[in-house]
Amino acid sequence: MSDELKVLRGRILCYRIFDLGDEIDLDHAERILQDLAGKRRTRLSREGAEALAFASPPLDAALGRRTLTFPKVGRTVEAEVGVRFFDFAAVSVLFEIPIPPGTGVVEMVPFCDELYDTPVLEEVARRELEPLLLRLQPAIDGFRRWPGVETYTVIFVEELEGNPRAAEVLEAPGLGKLLLGETAAGTLATAEENDVRKHAYSYFDDDLAVIDWNSAFVLEPSGSRDIPDILEFAASQLLELRYYDDLLDAELGRIYDEVEASGRKWWALFWSPYGALARKVMRQILELTEFTERVENSLKVIGDFYLARVYRAAVRRFRIAAWQRSVARKQALVGQVYGLLQGEIDMRRN
């Protein structure tokens, strides 16, 4: 094997993930989209997949081939586009861009750097989704258009020149820069290279998954897409937690404003102005708790097999636990506000 990794068979998988609402009835959505090609329910296939179970398998559909132009590197490519709907109302638009055989990893860095953050893919994804959403609204509970988006990119390789072992791939030059999208000349510091390598996982000695916070390198000679599917799922969970955190910020601000406005009214001297607000806050607590439980329970880790380890690694790398703590803290604040409102109501009654 030469020092530089060269891809003989592979694709770049670019995900743009959006929030659509509270929940999607996937059976209903499947009936609505019955005319779309490649429609199916996703199931993991690799050995060890029994360690993970979808509460409701996502719904996939193919949208066909699209021509995309990326201005930063001045490159035009043909990409296969597909969509995946999750029952907790996230939708992922996938762009599959083939890697020309013989492309070196170092050579790919500038293009991947643009793919990681380019607005081109988000714009195309939103445009492709629009006619589908008009049809799917009857199947979506709490339909909304939140402006947030989660991006993730997987360099998915089925064959490298010389068929190197996973340990050789991990030590090859250029892998760290590829995942970081680092186009500057020079060699990465040892600490940076080690930070990339410590998030590497293998099942056999010829496969490899290296997970970073916004990209991953997956070498999978079998061609199984289970690991990219798991990474996409974890990214969709992160998106929903970001949405929920944003929602709680807005709700807390609105509640405080309503409390202040209600307390200033003249009739607040004679009876509590907070009854309706307390009922509204309690209803929101119940709705939001149900929503977060739906997201967290949508994929169950039932064992400690390889796919489950990769999923847990992605959860750690995406800092999902930190977002969960943030959400839990703000939920607790909403609960405290409800308790204070209820205490005020009881005091006025007495």
Side-chain angles (χ1 to χ4, degrees):
M1 185 190 78
S2 63
D3 287 342
E4 184 183 359
L5 300 171
K6 291 188 181 296
V7 178
L8 298 184
R9 284 188 298 128
R11 289 176 169 264
I12 304 173
L13 310 178
C14 302
Y15 301 94
R16 295 297 182 269
I17 308 171
F18 307 94
D19 171 77
L20 302 179
D22 296 334
E23 187 175 13
I24 300 179
D25 182 338
L26 293 179
D27 292 332
H28 190 185
E30 189 170 11
R31 291 192 295 272
I32 292 173
L33 301 179
Q34 59 183 335
D35 58 310
L36 291 187
K39 185 171 70 334
R40 66 186 181 92
R41 301 296 288 272
T42 305
R43 298 184 187 280
L44 302 176
S45 58
R46 183 185 171 116
E47 182 178 353
E50 64 274 10
L52 297 167
F54 284 113
S56 178
L59 172 65
D60 293 357
L63 299 182
R65 185 171 295 181
R66 302 290 185 269
T67 301
L68 305 171
T69 300
F70 299 96
K72 188 176 176 181
V73 294
R75 183 172 171 183
T76 298
V77 300
E78 296 290 316
E80 294 292 336
V81 184
V83 291
R84 171 168 293 168
F85 296 95
F86 295 93
D87 67 332
F88 48 86
V91 59
S92 174
V93 181
L94 168 62
F95 299 87
E96 295 191 31
I97 301 171
I99 302 172
T103 302
V105 163
V106 175
E107 182 185 348
M108 293 169 59
V109 172
F111 185 45
C112 287
D113 176 51
E114 181 166 4
L115 290 177
Y116 294 159
D117 301 309
T118 178
V120 171
L121 295 181
E122 181 180 346
E123 291 166 5
V124 174
R126 290 188 184 277
R127 188 165 63 243
E128 294 288 338
L129 279 176
E130 191 58 33
L132 298 180
L133 298 185
L134 292 175
R135 298 170 60 185
L136 283 173
Q137 286 190 35
I140 302 174
D141 183 29
F143 177 75
R144 57 180 168 260
R145 294 181 184 274
W146 186 57
V149 60
E150 190 63 44
T151 68
Y152 202 75
T153 305
V154 178
I155 296 96
F156 183 75
V157 177
E158 294 181 54
E159 184 180 4
L160 288 167
E161 184 178 75
N163 296 314
R165 302 295 92 181
E168 296 175 281
V169 174
L170 200 56
E171 295 297 325
L175 186 60
K177 279 193 164 186
L178 178 66
L179 289 177
L180 296 173
E182 181 52 73
T183 57
T187 304
L188 283 179
T190 302
E192 290 295 331
E193 289 281 5
N194 290 340
D195 187 58
V196 171
R197 291 185 183 125
K198 74 182 181 182
H199 301 286
Y201 303 86
S202 293
Y203 188 77
F204 295 110
D205 68 351
D206 63 347
D207 65 42
L208 179 68
V210 187
I211 302 169
D212 201 28
W213 66 273
N214 73 333
S215 63
F217 179 89
V218 176
L219 173 61
E220 184 52 72
S222 73
S224 167
R225 294 285 189 92
D226 282 358
I227 289 177
D229 287 349
I230 287 170
L231 296 175
E232 176 192 36
F233 179 81
S236 71
Q237 285 185 306
L238 175 59
L239 172 86
E240 294 301 335
L241 286 168
R242 285 179 48 214
Y243 162 75
Y244 190 35
D245 189 78
D246 187 52
L247 176 65
L248 282 168
D249 281 338
E251 286 299 303
L252 283 167
R254 187 189 59 76
I255 290 169
Y256 294 150
D257 288 344
E258 285 195 32
V259 167
E260 185 176 3
S262 297
R264 288 175 177 172
K265 293 176 181 177
W266 65 268
W267 39 262
L269 295 171
F270 302 99
W271 65 83
S272 172
Y274 302 130
L277 180 57
R279 290 191 294 275
K280 187 187 299 184
V281 171
M282 188 60 190
R283 185 168 60 250
Q284 287 167 344
I285 291 172
L286 294 174
E287 289 174 354
L288 296 177
T289 301
E290 180 185 4
F291 175 65
T292 50
E293 287 178 351
R294 189 184 307 123
V295 173
E296 292 171 358
N297 295 331
S298 51
L299 184 70
K300 290 290 189 183
V301 180
I302 348 178
D304 195 22
F305 300 100
Y306 178 58
L307 291 179
R309 286 197 296 122
V310 171
Y311 170 66
R312 291 193 184 101
V315 166
R316 289 193 299 271
R317 194 60 170 156
F318 297 170
R319 299 183 67 248
I320 285 178
W323 284 96
Q324 287 173 324
R325 288 193 295 271
S326 175
V327 164
R329 179 177 59 82
K330 291 172 185 177
Q331 264 187 317
L333 285 174
V334 174
Q336 289 171 15
V337 170
Y338 173 76
L340 291 172
L341 292 174
Q342 194 59 50
E344 170 70 14
I345 293 168
D346 291 343
M347 184 179 69
R348 296 293 180 97
R349 283 175 179 165
N350 290 334

